[in-house]
Amino acid sequence: MRKRHVALAGALLVLSPLATAAVTLSLPRVERSDTPGYVDVSAPRFSWVVRDHRNGTVQLGYRIVVSAGGGIVWDSGEVDDPRSFDIAYAGPMLKPGTRYTWRVAVRTNHGKAEASSYFDTALDEPGWRGARWIGKPADTLPAPLLRKPFAIDGVVERATLYVAAGGYADVAIDGQPVSDAVLSPGFTDYGKRVEVVAHDVSLAPGDHTLTAELGRGFYGLTNVNVWHWEKAPWHGKPRIRALLRVRYEDGRSEDVVTDESWQVADGPTRLDDLYGGETYDARAATPARWSAAAALPAPAGRLVAQTEQPIRVIETLKASEVTEPVPGTYVVAFPRVIAGWATFDLSGPAGTTVVAHYGETLAPDGTVQWRDEHHYVKGDFQTDRITLAGGPLRWHPKFSYKGFRYVQLEGWPGGKPRPEAITAQVVHTDVAITGRFDSSNALLNWIHRATVDTMLNNLHGIPTDTPMYEKNGWTGDGMLAADMFLRNVDADRLLAKWVRDIADTRNAEGAPLLIAPNPGWGTGRAPTWHSAYVFVPWSLWMFAGDRRPIDEHIDGIARYVALEDARSPGGIADTDLGDWVSPESDPGGGNAPEDKRIAATAYLYGMEKTTAAMLRLTGNEAGARAFDAKAARVRDAFNARFLDREAARYRGEGDDGYRQAHNLLALAFGLVPDDLRARVADGVAADARARGDHLSTGALATKVILPVLTATGHQDEAWAIATQVTFPSWGFWRANGATSLWEHWKLASRSRGHYFLGTIDDWLYGDVAGLRPLEPGWRRFEVRPQLTAFLDHASASVMTPHGEASVAWRKTRGKVEADVVVPVGTEATIVLPGAPDRVVGAGRHHLASR
C-alpha cells in the first residue's frame, strides 16, 4: 500500500498507511471537549476513542501532530502507549488567541486509523486589545441594552467574539443571537474566577450592529434572600467585557472592543431576578434615548475558560391542558416537571399586563402553588409580568429560569388562552445523555427515567438544589449524586469546574462552606456535606478517569481532612447535617431523629481513607500512611463509642429506635469488624422487613441501602424495598402522579424536583444490570448482575473514556445469557449465576450461565 502524505500547515508529514479495515477513531477532543474555543491551560490534553467491530483490538501506539500558522508546532513522534485519553501536550508554549489544528494517527493490532480536529487558545491581557468592562452609569433595575455599530469592508476569513460578564450577556449581531447558549456565561465566585466564552460568527461585507442585553444572574441579584446573594462580596451591577476579532482573507485584522464609545439604554426587561422572575414592558423595546456606556471596574476574579457545556433550550413541550379554576385565572399544565421557562404568544391593547406564576404542584382549588411558603426570598417568586405595547407579542424570559409543571395566568387578554399559545422550554446545561438502563420491571424503568430528568433539571452550570426553590450548589447533594451523574450524562467537565467552586469557598482554616459558589453564607460544620471536596474528585477519577482534580486539589483536600480530624475529639466527629429528610422528618427538610455524630464520624473515616488513596496516587506515600493512621484511630473510636457488639448494631444518643442509617453507613464505609459484618447486615434487613419492607433512610443512607443489602446476601430484601409502592418508597411517588423525584418521601415534600433520594440509580446500573468499574476510568470493569432471580432481563450502557461499555442480560431456557460490549483499551470480568469468572478483552461477547 502506498504511504499517505498529509500536508499539515505547509509542512509535509509522512504518516503510516491507513488501514482499510474497520478500525476507526471518534470523539477527538481537547480538554474533554469538541473543538473548544478558549483553552487556557498550558498543556491541553488530547483524547480519542478507538472503535473496531472485531474482538481483541488493542491500541499499540499513537502519534500526535499539532500545527498552526504554516508549520508544525509539536510532533510527539511514534509513542508506544495504549493510552487514548488525557495525553498532555508537550511542545513549545502555545500562543494566546491562536487556532491550532491537531491530528492523531493510531496503531492497533488490527490496523491503523486517524482523526483530526482543532482548538483555540485563550487570550492573554494584551490580546483583549484594550477592551474595557462596561455597563450602565447608574445601578437602576432595568436590564441595560448596549450597542456598537461597525463595518466590514472585505471578505472575512474568520470572526470570533469573546465575552466575559458579571451576570449574563445576551449578545446579538444585527438582531441575531451569536449562539444558542442562554444564561451565559457560566456562574462562579466572581471574586475568584470569571468565565469567558468564545463564538465564531459569520459576517458579510457591510454595516452591522453588535448588541448586548445584560442580566443580573447571581452577580447583581437584588431581591433580598436568606442566602444573601444580594450581599455577595463581588456584588455589582451587570457588566460586560467583549472583543470581536475580525480576520480578513487579505491578511488584515480588525477589533471591535467594549469601551465608552458604546451606547447604553434601559431595555424592556424592567427587572430580572433568578428567584423572583422577570418584568417585561414591550413599550420600552425600542429605547428613545441612548447615552455613552460607562467604564466599570473589572470583577476581582481572573478570566478563565468556561469549561462546562453551555446552558441551552433543550426541548419544547406542548401544553397538555388549560383549565380555569377561578374565573379569569387560567392554569396551563405540561406533561412533566421541568426546569426552564414558558413562551407566550399573546396580543392585546397597549398597557395590558399578564402575570404568569410558575409552580410544580397545584393547590386543592386547582390553582398553582407558586408561592415561597418558606420565605426564602422577599418580593416576587417564580413570577413573570409582561406588559404589551399593543398588538401581538411572542415573549419568554432571558435571565431567569423556574422549576414548574404548571403556569398560572392572570390578565390574559381575550379570554381563555389556546393551548398552543403557551409552550414550555426545557432549559439546562447541554450535557449529552451517555448512559442507558432498561429492565423488565416498569417501576424500575420509571425510577431511572425520572432520575435522569430530575438530574438534568438541576444542571445549570453547577449541580443545583431544586430549580424552583434554591438553585444553590449544595455540596452534599452533588456529592451523593456524582456517581450517577457520571454514569448517565457527560458531566465530568461540569463537576470538575464545580470542585473548583467548592475550593473557592474554603474559609481561613481550609474548610469548605455548604454551597458552592458561595456568597458568604452557610458557615456551619458539616463533614457529611463538605466531603464533596474529597469524594467528587475521587468519583471523577473512578468514573471519568480524570486525575487532574486530584492533582489540583490534593493539598487543599489533605488540609481540610486533617482539620476535620483535629476538631473531632477522641476521633468522634459532629455535624449540623445528618441523614437529611428521613421519612420521619419535616417535609420541608430536616435531620433524622438520630445521633448525627455517627454519620459525621463515618464520613470522616471515609474521607481519611480516600485522602490516603489520593496521596498514594500522587506519590506521597508518607502522607498516605499518616492518613491511614488517622483513619484507623477513627475506626477504633467509632466502634468503641457506638457499636453494641452483643446486639450487632450501632446506637447513638437520642436515637428513635433502630436506625438503619447508622448500620448502613458503618457497613458502606468499611467500619464494621469483619466478624460482625454479616450480623449487622442481617439487622438492617430484619428492620426493613419489620417495617413492611420499607427503608427508613434519608439522603445519606438511601444511597447505600440497596447496594449494601445486595452485597451482603440480602438481594431479596433489596428487591422488596426497591419495588415498594407504599410510603416511603419511589413507587409511592409514582403512585401519586410523580413525573420526577421529590425532595422528601412525604406527599407534602417541599420540592418535586430534587435528585438526592434517587441514588437507587447507582444500584440499577451496578447491581441490577451489573455494570460497575473496578479501576479508574473503567480500565477494568465488572459485569455481575445480582438480581436475576427477580427479573427476566435488564441492560445498561455507560460511556467510558475508552468508549461505550454495555451489558444486556436475559433469562432463556433456565439460563442467564449476556451480551457484553467491552471498549478498546479495557477488559471486563464477567460473572453470571453458576458460572466461573471470565475475563475478556475488547469486543462483543456472548456468554451464558450453566
Side-chain angles (χ1 to χ4, degrees):
M1 182 183 295
R2 188 176 62 180
K3 287 189 174 181
R4 184 168 182 255
H5 294 76
V6 181
L8 285 178
L12 187 65
L13 172 68
V14 180
L15 294 176
S16 302
L18 281 177
T20 58
V23 180
T24 60
L25 301 187
S26 65
L27 298 175
R29 288 181 163 182
V30 173
E31 285 302 302
R32 296 174 171 249
S33 178
D34 301 325
T35 62
Y38 200 84
V39 174
D40 59 359
V41 294
S42 59
R45 299 167 298 172
F46 301 95
S47 62
W48 56 87
V49 170
V50 181
R51 301 184 187 276
D52 191 358
H53 68 278
R54 292 164 294 186
N55 287 357
T57 300
V58 176
Q59 177 180 301
L60 302 175
Y62 63 82
R63 182 181 184 182
I64 299 172
V65 176
V66 178
S67 303
I72 294 175
V73 176
W74 176 58
D75 184 346
S76 71
E78 292 291 348
V79 180
D80 296 329
D81 193 331
R83 291 184 305 152
S84 60
F85 67 95
D86 289 353
I87 297 167
Y89 171 82
M93 182 176 293
L94 298 171
K95 295 179 180 179
T98 302
R99 171 157 291 180
Y100 290 87
T101 59
W102 70 282
R103 179 180 295 276
V104 59
V106 166
R107 294 175 284 113
T108 78
N109 59 330
H110 284 160
K112 302 175 183 180
E114 294 181 4
S116 61
S117 189
Y118 64 88
F119 65 96
D120 293 276
T121 53
L123 302 175
D124 58 3
E125 185 56 35
W128 281 90
R129 298 293 199 270
R132 305 286 301 273
W133 285 90
I134 63 170
K136 285 196 301 185
D139 191 11
T140 55
L141 288 178
L145 294 178
L146 293 149
R147 70 181 183 185
K148 172 71 174 181
F150 66 97
I152 296 297
D153 63 356
V155 179
V156 174
E157 178 184 58
R158 183 181 168 216
T160 306
L161 178 67
Y162 302 90
V163 177
Y168 300 135
D170 184 52
V171 185
I173 295 177
D174 303 332
Q176 297 300 311
V178 297
S179 83
D180 56 2
V182 298
L183 303 175
S184 177
F187 161 46
T188 61
D189 177 335
Y190 295 96
K192 303 286 179 63
R193 292 175 295 118
V194 179
E195 295 195 334
V196 180
V197 293
H199 309 290
D200 281 347
V201 297
S202 298
L203 292 171
D207 294 332
H208 302 277
T209 302
L210 179 60
T211 61
E213 185 176 12
L214 305 184
R216 292 183 172 273
F218 279 111
Y219 181 79
L221 193 145
T222 55
N223 279 11
V224 175
N225 57 89
V226 299
W227 308 284
H228 306 315
W229 289 109
E230 80 285 1
K231 299 178 183 178
W234 60 74
H235 187 274
K237 53 192 172 187
R239 61 202 66 197
I240 185 175
R241 188 188 200 191
L243 161 69
L244 175 63
R245 175 157 298 162
V246 180
R247 302 171 181 83
Y248 291 98
E249 286 189 349
D250 61 11
R252 291 179 299 129
S253 65
E254 291 180 348
D255 298 313
V256 179
V257 301
T258 47
D259 57 22
E260 296 91 330
S261 68
W262 285 55
Q263 294 181 307
V264 65
D266 283 344
T269 303
R270 312 307 287 175
L271 171 69
D272 65 282
D273 183 274
L274 276 167
Y275 297 110
E278 300 182 32
T279 298
Y280 180 86
D281 191 338
R283 296 170 299 184
T286 304
R289 185 167 48 187
W290 294 79
S291 60
L296 301 176
R302 63 186 179 91
L303 296 181
V304 299
Q306 177 178 313
T307 52
E308 73 276 15
Q309 298 93 323
I311 299 171
R312 292 189 173 102
V313 175
I314 304 299
E315 184 182 2
T316 292
L317 303 181
K318 295 180 179 179
S320 53
E321 186 181 26
V322 179
T323 59
E324 189 176 4
V326 177
T329 295
Y330 306 103
V331 172
V332 185
F334 294 95
R336 67 177 194 269
V337 172
I338 67 168
W341 54 60
T343 296
F344 306 97
D345 282 301
L346 66 168
S347 182
T352 301
T353 297
V354 175
V355 180
H357 301 298
Y358 299 73
E360 295 173 339
T361 59
L362 296 177
D365 66 357
T367 60
V368 174
Q369 174 22 44
W370 58 272
R371 293 174 178 82
D372 171 24
E373 66 271 28
H374 297 277
H375 308 294
Y376 297 124
V377 177
K378 290 186 178 180
D380 268 347
F381 187 71
Q382 291 244 132
T383 296
D384 293 329
R385 302 176 186 275
I386 311 110
T387 299
L388 302 180
L393 174 69
R394 168 172 286 187
W395 180 85
H396 64 75
K398 287 184 178 179
F399 303 123
S400 66
Y401 69 94
K402 291 86 171 174
F404 70 102
R405 186 179 181 181
Y406 306 97
V407 181
Q408 179 172 303
L409 300 173
E410 300 164 2
W412 189 271
K416 186 175 182 178
R418 298 171 291 107
E420 57 269 25
I422 305 98
T423 58
Q425 281 65 51
V426 179
V427 179
H428 56 72
T429 298
D430 190 11
V431 290
I433 297 176
T434 53
R436 174 183 53 81
F437 171 83
D438 184 62
S439 76
S440 56
N441 184 277
L443 174 57
L444 298 187
N445 296 342
W446 176 87
I447 291 170
H448 173 68
R449 289 193 302 270
T451 298
V452 173
D453 284 345
T454 307
M455 286 192 294
L456 293 173
N457 286 343
N458 281 281
L459 284 180
H460 293 87
I462 59 173
T464 64
D465 168 17
T466 71
M468 177 170 177
Y469 287 100
E470 296 207 31
K471 301 179 172 69
N472 291 315
W474 279 87
T475 49
D477 305 25
M479 174 274 297
L480 290 166
D483 294 352
M484 68 179 184
F485 273 121
L486 293 167
R487 281 184 168 107
N488 282 292
V489 298
D490 184 17
D492 56 335
R493 283 178 280 155
L494 182 147
L495 289 176
K497 177 264 185 189
W498 188 55
V499 173
R500 294 190 183 102
D501 292 330
I502 296 172
D504 288 343
T505 73
R506 289 172 296 162
N507 62 21
E509 295 179 301
L513 302 183
L514 291 174
I515 60 175
N518 195 295
W521 178 90
T523 57
R525 179 188 178 191
T528 46
W529 260 245
H530 304 333
S531 65
Y533 188 37
V534 183
F535 292 143
V536 175
W538 191 254
S539 291
L540 284 162
W541 175 229
M542 285 301 299
F543 287 89
D546 190 356
R547 180 175 152 172
R548 178 176 284 172
I550 293 175
D551 293 331
E552 182 178 339
H553 299 287
I554 184 57
D555 291 343
I557 289 169
R559 183 186 178 209
Y560 161 62
V561 178
L563 165 71
E564 203 63 73
D565 182 271
R567 63 183 181 182
S568 300
I572 303 301
D574 206 350
T575 181
D576 294 332
L577 300 175
D579 195 31
W580 194 254
V581 297
S582 67
E584 314 96 317
S585 62
D586 187 285
N591 284 309
E594 62 193 25
D595 192 337
K596 300 190 298 295
R597 295 176 302 165
I598 293 182
T601 308
Y603 267 81
L604 173 59
Y605 176 80
M607 287 193 289
E608 289 173 334
K609 293 298 291 182
T610 303
T611 302
M614 291 179 180
L615 288 166
R616 197 161 277 117
L617 176 68
T618 58
N620 186 347
E621 182 60 34
R625 287 196 300 270
F627 275 93
D628 280 337
K630 293 179 190 293
R633 289 192 296 269
V634 168
R635 181 191 60 222
D636 292 344
F638 180 85
N639 287 319
R641 178 69 62 90
F642 302 118
L643 174 59
D644 181 338
R645 289 191 64 89
E646 183 176 348
R649 61 181 281 191
Y650 288 83
R651 303 176 189 266
E653 295 178 10
D655 286 352
D656 182 10
Y658 180 92
R659 303 308 304 173
Q660 291 178 7
H662 291 345
N663 298 278
L664 287 164
L665 293 175
L667 287 162
F669 281 110
L671 284 156
V672 182
D674 291 344
D675 62 321
L676 289 180
R677 278 188 63 82
R679 290 179 61 200
V680 172
D682 291 346
V684 176
D687 183 78
R689 282 193 295 271
R691 297 174 186 270
D693 298 321
H694 286 94
L695 52 71
S696 65
T697 51
L700 298 180
T702 294
K703 179 178 174 67
V704 298
I705 184 170
L706 302 184
V708 164
L709 287 172
T710 302
T712 55
H714 297 285
Q715 294 94 330
D716 55 344
E717 191 55 35
W719 177 261
I721 292 170
T723 54
Q724 268 294 342
V725 295
T726 56
F727 174 84
S729 68
W730 300 277
F732 176 71
W733 291 343
R734 184 188 186 215
N736 282 277
T739 65
S740 56
L741 306 184
W742 300 356
E743 190 177 14
H744 200 287
W745 299 111
K746 292 178 179 175
L747 289 177
S749 173
R750 176 189 71 156
S751 170
R752 302 297 174 95
H754 202 303
Y755 53 75
F756 67 2
L757 291 176
T759 45
I760 180 179
D761 201 65
D762 293 329
W763 179 75
L764 297 180
Y765 277 92
D767 289 310
V768 177
L771 191 62
R772 65 175 74 226
L774 296 176
E775 288 184 4
W778 297 82
R779 172 63 187 84
R780 285 197 314 116
F781 64 94
E782 182 179 64
V783 175
R784 186 191 295 263
Q786 301 271 35
L787 281 297
T788 56
F790 305 94
L791 287 162
D792 292 327
H793 65 82
S795 62
S797 65
V798 295
M799 178 57 73
T800 81
H802 307 272
E804 186 176 79
S806 68
V807 57
W809 66 260
R810 59 198 172 275
K811 290 193 289 194
T812 305
R813 297 183 296 277
K815 293 183 178 182
V816 175
E817 297 184 348
D819 293 310
V820 179
V821 175
V822 181
V824 174
T826 70
E827 66 178 31
T829 300
I830 303 173
V831 185
L832 298 180
D837 296 6
R838 180 177 173 187
V839 179
V840 298
R844 298 177 180 271
H845 306 275
H846 177 82
L847 302 97
S849 65
R850 288 177 175 174

